[in-house]
Amino acid sequence: MELFIEVVPAEGVMHVRVKYLKDEVLTNHFYLNRDAEISYFSCDGQETPHESSNEEHPMFSGYTAQKVLAPNLRDCLELAYSLRLSGETGCCPYVREKIAPEFTFIRWETFCYPMFFEDWDSYRNTAFTACNIQLIVPKEYDVVASKKERDTAIGDSKKVVTYSHQDKGSNVFDCSVASYKKVKFSFGSVCFLSDLGAEKVQMVNDTMLKAISYMNEHFGVRHIEPNLVFAAIPDGYGSFVCPHNNVVFVEEATFSRAENLRAIVHEYIHLGWNPKVADSVQRARFFDEAFTSYFEVRVMAALFGGESFSAESKAEHAIDAIRRGEYKLVPIAEYGLHGYGGLSYTIGALCLHELCLLLGEPVFDNVTKAFLEKYKDVPVDFDLFCREYIGLSGKDNRRKLSRFFDDWIYTCSGISEYINAE
Ligand SMILES: [Zn+2]
């Protein structure tokens, strides 16, 4: 697969050329952003007319994309199109993606390039196996991408960045294009959208170093490669991590106050302090998000005080939502089954907070350190988690811990006390 994208921020447009080999065209049609204007369509080297219509994508209700028929191929499919993102055609309702001089985001959620899938299974199975991606931007722009950069060539007016990758299972290419101000810190580099000023840069540095040293001390020492890149994106886009290339996209407001660095602290914890999780329990999000959210609260409370950051206040909205019946009352071990992984951020974190109260912080921290070390690369599930904590916490704690896990992991007794307390 070849994908060449030229972004012209000043004109609000991107010009794309893409080529797929026969084996990479998995369905007899593909979806593309509905604003894309196809100027060239060719099968096996022959330009041919194409058929397309705007249709709702089966995975996203209310989201309309251009459905383009791909004829039978002997060899390859090639097309060229121009895309002016109007801000209304991304399938994430919270983002209004545009190509603009100050910032451009290219990602699959906006269907900036052809998508050959109809459901989450085919989404997961669609992988770029070997591909060549090239991004062309004006010389003064920078690109931060989810793929490893192979080469950058700078010409008189343009910069050409080439990416290639073979990591199977990854079918997305995300990148931001902006004129970034890059600052190197000991924990990684941060690409700021605007000039932050020396004082705030110092604040970012001091806060992150304090946070990292707290995590090392309480949850086990981790040496995280300093090749991390935190790239600012405009507010409203939602922070997220691209683990393959150690890129974290964070909203710009994150850097405005020390307390807002919570978002970076959170992503940083994901990189070093999550146990590995068995596939079958991943949907519960407990072992990534409950752990991370709980640690995040601990770190932030240590830095800024427990009045501003606590597991109880973090869980308030979720508890209200359960009271209102927006979620059925189900045990944490069944979150995956009900698609309630989102509750792990709040109720899951609250469970770990209660566990810490029960054991006392020094014991909890020691047990957690040992647990995270042991399960850094070995997949864990709920039974194993409970057994390990019971085994590691010492004889005296055995009975109260098994009771605790019954109440908080396997039944709803623990959380019910919060729900019934007004
Ligand atoms: Zn997270």
Side-chain angles (χ1 to χ4, degrees):
M1 182 262 216
E2 287 175 10
L3 175 65
F4 300 126
I5 304 176
E6 174 166 12
V7 182
V8 191
E11 293 172 21
V13 66
M14 65 171 93
H15 304 292
V16 184
R17 272 194 306 125
V18 60
K19 177 178 178 178
Y20 291 92
L21 297 178
K22 184 181 184 327
D23 293 349
E24 296 168 329
V25 179
L26 301 170
T27 44
N28 63 3
H29 59 267
F30 59 84
Y31 291 91
L32 192 61
N33 186 292
R34 64 178 179 269
D35 285 346
E37 283 177 34
I38 299 173
S39 57
Y40 177 77
F41 191 89
S42 120
C43 299
D44 306 323
Q46 283 285 326
E47 192 166 355
T48 56
H50 69 278
E51 277 179 56
S52 70
S53 54
N54 284 350
E55 284 183 29
E56 187 174 78
H57 193 282
M59 277 160 71
F60 307 100
S61 73
Y63 176 67
T64 313
Q66 202 173 154
K67 184 175 177 178
V68 186
L69 297 184
N72 282 330
L73 294 170
R74 268 177 292 118
D75 181 33
C76 65
L77 172 73
E78 286 168 279
L79 63 146
Y81 53 91
S82 294
L83 175 54
R84 289 180 182 278
L85 286 177
S86 66
E88 299 295 329
T89 54
C91 61
C92 292
Y94 50 88
V95 213
R96 298 269 175 253
E97 285 172 5
K98 272 186 182 160
I99 301 165
E102 57 286 359
F103 183 80
T104 299
F105 217 13
I106 296 172
R107 50 178 180 168
W108 76 266
E109 285 98 330
T110 323
F111 286 41
C112 289
Y113 44 86
M115 291 288 152
F116 293 91
F117 59 82
E118 300 265 354
D119 52 39
W120 288 112
D121 275 339
S122 55
Y123 165 78
R124 276 186 286 268
N125 294 331
T126 313
F128 294 160
T129 42
C131 67
N132 183 14
I133 299 175
Q134 215 169 63
L135 210 71
I136 304 153
V137 294
K139 195 169 86 175
E140 61 279 15
Y141 278 79
D142 305 289
V143 182
V144 179
S146 60
K147 299 292 168 217
K148 269 217 163 56
E149 204 171 302
R150 198 177 64 195
D151 178 59
T152 299
I154 301 175
D156 288 343
S157 61
K158 290 177 187 175
K159 185 186 273 179
V160 180
V161 193
T162 307
Y163 304 89
S164 68
H165 79 118
Q166 266 84 28
D167 55 332
K168 278 202 174 183
S170 169
N171 55 358
V172 293
F173 174 73
D174 297 316
C175 81
S176 60
V177 178
S179 168
Y180 275 124
K181 283 89 197 149
K182 191 168 178 172
V183 181
K184 259 190 163 14
F185 296 95
S186 60
F187 59 88
S189 308
V190 182
C191 300
F192 297 105
L193 281 173
S194 54
D195 203 338
L196 211 59
E199 210 172 295
K200 283 207 169 142
V201 167
Q202 190 65 43
M203 174 279 283
V204 171
N205 186 58
D206 295 351
T207 310
M208 283 307 290
L209 291 190
K210 271 191 227 157
I212 292 165
S213 105
Y214 183 90
M215 292 182 240
N216 279 328
E217 190 186 328
H218 291 264
F219 312 131
V221 177
R222 293 288 183 280
H223 298 286
I224 295 171
E225 287 288 321
N227 63 355
L228 275 177
V229 177
F230 296 91
I233 53 180
D235 301 331
Y237 278 73
S239 306
F240 67 102
V241 186
C242 304
H244 291 294
N245 197 26
N246 283 353
V247 171
V248 184
F249 290 105
V250 276
E251 294 190 358
E252 177 86 339
T254 306
F255 305 103
S256 59
R257 293 167 61 221
E259 285 88 335
N260 291 4
L261 290 174
R262 190 194 61 72
I264 295 198
V265 168
H266 181 99
E267 302 306 344
Y268 203 82
I269 294 167
H270 274 309
L271 295 165
W273 289 269
N274 281 175
K276 191 173 162 62
V277 61
D279 284 347
S280 58
V281 284
Q282 171 56 22
R283 264 168 67 86
R285 308 308 302 269
F286 184 81
F287 296 100
D288 54 351
E289 294 306 347
F291 270 84
T292 299
S293 295
Y294 170 68
F295 291 162
E296 173 205 310
V297 166
R298 282 278 303 273
V299 172
M300 298 310 284
L303 265 55
F304 302 103
E307 312 77 47
S308 318
F309 293 93
S310 75
E312 286 101 331
S313 60
K314 205 179 169 80
E316 265 167 23
H317 284 296
I319 289 170
D320 274 342
I322 298 174
R323 280 191 193 125
R324 286 194 302 268
E326 286 170 30
Y327 297 93
K328 281 185 282 186
L329 191 56
V330 300
I332 289 176
E334 287 171 24
Y335 278 1
L337 223 62
H338 293 267
Y340 284 1
L343 288 180
S344 279
Y345 290 82
T346 50
I347 310 294
L350 188 62
C351 163
L352 291 171
H353 165 71
E354 285 282 339
L355 181 57
C356 180
L357 286 181
L358 183 75
L359 291 173
E361 203 175 282
V363 175
F364 174 87
D365 286 0
N366 279 334
V367 171
T368 300
K369 252 186 232 173
F371 175 75
L372 292 182
E373 188 55 38
K374 188 166 174 185
Y375 293 98
K376 211 163 24 177
D377 306 306
V378 182
V380 68
D381 60 24
F382 283 107
D383 289 351
L384 203 55
F385 159 70
C386 299
R387 260 205 324 273
E388 285 288 337
Y389 269 71
I390 291 170
L392 291 161
S393 301
K395 253 202 214 127
D396 299 348
N397 288 315
R398 231 165 253 173
R399 185 164 295 169
K400 64 179 180 188
L401 268 186
S402 29
R403 173 92 195 264
F404 176 87
F405 290 130
D406 274 345
D407 288 351
W408 276 93
I409 300 291
Y410 297 110
T411 73
C412 304
S413 317
I415 192 60
S416 292
E417 286 185 26
Y418 278 92
I419 290 165
N420 298 331
E422 282 294 336

